[in-house]
Amino acid sequence: AQYFAPDGTLILEKRYAEGDIVAYRALGKDGVMGSWVAATPDMAIVAYYASGIKAYEEFFKNGLLEGFSREYYADGRLLSEYNYHQGEKNGPFLVNHPNGKVWQKGTYDAGSMQGIVEFFNPDGTRFRTETRRDGTMHGKSTLYKNSKPVKTLTYWSGTLID
């Protein structure tokens, strides 16, 4: 698998066997793609932009993603942060616009989006909220203009009902 930074730069490659990561190589602080490294059960993978700024980081425990996984813009600002527990997304997540303001935030539970997910414009104003159950839209979804609600829709297991 190949991972690219928002600017299109290849920053990380991973090799898998039967669903498990077996090796990786990442772009180093010097802007050079490193050699292949054998995966270990407890490891950190960090990739950089050619400028030396961190582009990506994730951590493994017992061979599974554990803790935070972060991606950064080329200027060092946080692009996204997801939390993992035993290989599944679990806990709050955040995705930011290039200007550093929040674009999307919500919560995962056992690998699925749960509860309220909020979406924001680059100026920070809310433009949508969704209610998720097991990753599927379920409940109220509200559209906003100038951060004020203008329309509310209701979903049941992903199907619009109102």
Side-chain angles (χ1 to χ4, degrees), residues 12-14 21-26 35-39 43-45:
L12 176 65
E13 291 184 283
K14 295 179 186 176
I21 183 172
V22 295
Y24 70 93
R25 66 183 189 157
S35 300
W36 285 100
V37 176
M43 65 178 177
I45 296 178

Side-chain angles (χ1 to χ4, degrees), residues 93-95 102-107 113-121 125-132 142 144:
F93 76 92
L94 176 71
V95 181
V102 174
W103 173 56
Q104 183 180 3
K105 67 180 180 177
T107 303
M113 272 193 238
Q114 300 289 347
I116 303 294
V117 181
E118 297 177 277
F119 299 85
F120 301 87
N121 293 305
T125 58
R126 179 183 294 128
F127 71 87
R128 186 171 83 212
T129 58
E130 299 174 350
T131 305
R132 297 280 180 147
T142 304
Y144 297 82

Side-chain angles (χ1 to χ4, degrees), residues 3 10-13 24-28 30-36:
Y3 297 81
L10 176 65
I11 58 168
L12 176 65
E13 291 184 283
Y24 70 93
R25 66 183 189 157
L27 198 63
D30 58 2
V32 176
M33 185 61 76
S35 300
W36 285 100

Side-chain angles (χ1 to χ4, degrees), residues 64-67 82-91 108-112:
L64 300 172
L65 282 166
E66 187 70 33
Y82 294 88
N83 289 285
Y84 287 84
H85 181 62
Q86 297 179 347
E88 291 187 326
K89 288 180 180 173
N90 200 65
Y108 276 89
D109 183 28
S112 295

